[in-house]
Amino acid sequence: MNPLESLTRLDPDYPRPAVLNLLAAPHNERLLEYVASDPFGAHVFPGDIPDVAPEAFLDDLDAQLADTRPIHLWSYIPTCSYRCRFCQYPVVIVKGPADVTREKIDHWVDLNIREAQLWLQRVPRLREAPVGEFNVFGGTPSLMGLDSVSRLLNFYRENFGFGPETTVRFEGDPTTLTPDLLARLRELGCDKVSCGVQSFDDQVLKLSGREHTETECHEFLDATERLGFDWVTIDLMYGLLDQTVAGVQRDLEQVRRHRVPGVVCTKLHLRSYTDTRTGVAGDRPAAWQFPSYRNRLAEAGHRWPTLGEQYQMREVLAEGLRADGYGEHPTMYFHRADKPPETWKSIMVDQDRQDAEVAIGLGGSSSCRRSEAMTEVNAGRYAQLVQAGQLPLTSATRFGPTATEARAIKMALSTLQPLRDDLHRERFGGRSLFDEPWNRRWLDLERRELVVTDRAEGSVRLTAPGAVLVEAIMNTEF
């Protein structure tokens, strides 16, 4: 099925999204090609100067930290008890008796702490740089035992620039974010919990290879409310195998039932992450990426939602959450009306910030304003490097002057907030958002009804369709 045909295949029980008209227009062919190719990594921007030594990135980071605002700090624990069929992350599967599993997980906690020590030795300013948000990411870090969780969080709190304003986030899945673990996280000062719910439909979960149920998702959300967590975020995916628009509508109803503070809505991506250098690619494809497997699924009567249905699903989620008072910042990150936008995304992408992030652990992606670097994704090579006392950064790119400006513009667009010319001038030595090469791009996007410019006010804002298509705009027009 070609992209235009897929775009027109809709669920007749739901409205036709207005954005489809723009996508079908000949002058937006690049946007349609982008969304049809199933890319990922809208917030990860490789530099235009390739093959830079990782040491250069570390020097750039150290220089930026001499005059820094809060950084975003990641600790990546890659262990999982199984691999989802859509997963491309570099995860390490741990199975077996409890004592064996615990030993394997503790090994990866040890490696993470050792890598963090190497970062502190190489970039001493990291020790004092204020941490805006600390995110324990996975894998499934909630597989850790209570003692390991305490050891990891206490190490980072004692060795990095945690302060009264630092928020701490811990991620996991509904089966391992148990009441005991949640209680320990509260004791350790964890402010936020994020959970990979993905769907409240048991059949969709089963087909995706998820080993949890809708009931366990509700039990997790009930437990966080009972224990007094102020901020809980769940991930919801759309475009999954055999998923329907009605099923996504039902997912929205479960969010309403629990009044979930934060919801991250993610489209299924099957294109290889390495194509877009996202920094999260593993050394094996996801099960669903193998054509033979996909063919067997089709022969068995399963189907993937069309492009048109995917946009209906997106509209159900986005418009439904907005109708309930949720804000969207950045794209597809929704926060309840009484909650602020996500701290870590604001640190990374807000036009007046766009500060550094440091990702410690297998497959991490770190960046500062001059360059970005990726950590080894092969578990064996990663462990060898860390145990040998080497920082496991394997590649880096730098940003030339034009690419630095383009990156700043793209990140600001992703927030869905108006871009301000005064902030751009302040950062780039008086250069305007309306200087070339940007001015002709704004004129072209305005002609195509994707942005509105106000040169007197000094601003650029996305139209409603432009906000829906912001990832495609960022990655094809700049």
Side-chain angles (χ1 to χ4, degrees):
M1 189 184 307
N2 66 49
L4 271 177
E5 184 181 358
S6 184
L7 199 65
T8 60
R9 296 277 185 94
L10 301 172
D11 185 325
D13 293 332
Y14 288 85
R16 184 178 190 277
V19 72
L20 301 192
N21 293 333
L22 279 177
L23 274 175
H27 54 252
N28 285 323
E29 184 178 2
R30 286 197 306 272
L31 302 183
L32 179 59
E33 288 176 355
Y34 179 87
V35 300
S37 71
D38 195 38
F40 178 78
H43 303 141
V44 180
F45 307 107
D48 61 325
I49 304 172
D51 303 323
V52 173
E55 286 294 315
F57 163 75
L58 295 168
D59 290 339
D60 291 342
L61 175 64
D62 190 55
Q64 183 171 319
L65 294 181
D67 181 23
T68 189
R69 286 172 292 184
I71 65 168
H72 179 240
L73 180 63
W74 299 78
S75 171
Y76 180 53
I77 306 298
T79 51
C80 281
S81 58
Y82 61 91
R83 183 183 289 273
C84 303
R85 293 183 182 125
F86 52 73
C87 179
Q88 297 186 54
Y89 284 84
V91 299
V92 177
I93 305 300
V94 292
K95 284 187 178 293
D99 57 337
V100 174
T101 298
R102 188 67 61 228
E103 183 179 343
K104 290 179 179 178
I105 296 169
D106 286 347
H107 172 65
W108 282 96
V109 174
D110 293 340
L111 287 171
N112 187 273
I113 290 174
R114 178 61 183 136
E115 187 195 338
Q117 292 168 334
L118 295 171
W119 277 91
L120 292 168
Q121 291 167 16
R122 176 58 179 81
V123 188
R125 287 193 177 106
L126 266 179
R127 193 175 294 275
E128 305 301 327
V131 177
E133 179 154 305
F134 175 55
N135 189 342
V136 183
F137 182 65
T140 312
S142 48
L143 287 171
M144 283 189 284
L146 300 184
D147 290 345
S148 294
V149 170
S150 299
R151 181 161 64 95
L152 184 76
L153 291 182
N154 287 335
F155 167 81
Y156 276 93
R157 196 181 296 277
E158 291 166 5
N159 288 277
F160 287 83
F162 283 55
E165 302 302 315
T166 303
T167 58
V168 178
R169 174 199 297 279
F170 197 93
E171 300 191 338
D173 80 352
T175 61
T176 54
L177 284 168
T178 62
D180 286 347
L181 175 55
L182 291 168
R184 176 63 62 87
L185 292 173
R186 289 286 288 160
E187 293 170 4
L188 293 167
C190 181
D191 311 89
K192 300 181 177 182
V193 178
S194 293
C195 185
V197 168
Q198 315 308 354
S199 173
F200 288 90
D201 185 317
D202 283 342
Q203 181 62 16
V204 169
L205 289 171
K206 183 178 179 180
L207 287 169
S208 301
R210 302 288 292 183
E211 294 185 5
H212 66 81
T213 64
E214 175 187 354
T215 297
E216 288 165 323
C217 297
H218 292 300
E219 289 172 349
F220 158 75
L221 289 167
D222 290 339
T224 57
E225 184 175 2
R226 187 169 61 250
L227 289 165
F229 276 92
D230 185 56
W231 185 276
V232 178
T233 301
I234 66 169
D235 297 335
L236 291 179
M237 293 184 71
Y238 64 96
L240 295 167
L241 185 66
D242 281 2
Q243 196 173 34
T244 64
V245 185
V248 171
Q249 177 73 54
R250 186 176 178 277
D251 288 343
L252 174 64
E253 296 307 320
Q254 309 318 304
V255 171
R256 288 170 168 160
R257 166 180 166 181
H258 292 280
R259 296 194 69 247
V260 181
V263 184
V264 182
C265 302
T266 305
K267 178 184 177 294
L268 171 68
H269 301 283
L270 292 178
R271 180 177 169 187
S272 173
Y273 289 0
T274 55
D275 291 351
T276 47
R277 189 184 169 88
T278 65
V280 293
D283 54 358
R284 69 172 68 182
W288 279 349
Q289 287 180 292
F290 289 99
S292 59
Y293 186 38
R294 289 171 63 86
N295 290 338
R296 288 200 303 272
L297 290 169
E299 290 167 2
H302 299 290
R303 66 180 296 272
W304 306 95
T306 66
L307 267 179
E309 290 169 327
Q310 289 173 33
Y311 278 103
Q312 287 179 305
M313 292 172 179
R314 188 195 193 284
E315 189 164 276
V316 161
L317 289 170
E319 296 304 320
L321 289 167
R322 276 195 283 268
D324 291 343
Y326 283 75
E328 186 180 1
H329 179 103
T331 176
M332 298 308 283
Y333 282 71
F334 292 91
H335 57 97
R336 209 171 64 196
D338 60 328
K339 305 294 180 186
E342 289 278 45
T343 304
W344 68 277
K345 279 294 188 182
S346 298
I347 291 169
M348 291 162 55
V349 299
D350 279 7
Q351 192 182 5
D352 62 340
R353 302 179 77 167
Q354 299 184 353
D355 291 315
E357 62 172 335
V358 173
I360 297 171
L362 180 73
S365 176
S366 303
S367 67
C368 61
R369 288 185 173 182
R370 286 199 65 194
S371 55
E372 56 89 32
M374 290 169 58
T375 303
E376 175 62 61
V377 298
N378 178 274
R381 287 195 296 270
Y382 169 88
Q384 288 174 358
L385 289 168
V386 173
Q387 289 165 340
Q390 298 179 48
L391 264 179
L393 299 181
T394 54
S395 63
T397 65
R398 244 184 187 152
F399 305 98
T402 301
T404 301
E405 272 193 83
R407 178 176 182 261
I409 289 169
K410 290 191 286 188
M411 288 194 294
L413 281 170
S414 79
T415 69
L416 308 184
Q417 308 303 304
L419 276 65
R420 289 173 44 186
D421 192 39
D422 60 332
L423 293 177
H424 193 86
R425 288 176 180 276
E426 180 181 350
R427 179 169 167 187
F428 292 104
R431 278 189 52 78
S432 171
L433 277 174
F434 303 108
D435 287 343
E436 296 299 352
W438 318 122
N439 186 56
R440 64 176 178 270
R441 300 188 190 184
W442 299 130
L443 291 172
D444 180 51
L445 290 169
E446 196 162 34
R447 177 183 62 82
R448 292 153 60 193
E449 302 179 45
L450 295 165
V451 304
V452 174
T453 61
D454 187 330
R455 285 163 172 75
E457 185 184 75
S459 68
V460 177
R461 65 173 177 83
L462 293 160
T463 62
V468 174
L469 297 172
V470 64
E471 292 189 5
I473 292 169
M474 291 155 54
N475 287 286
T476 63
E477 310 301 314
F478 292 91

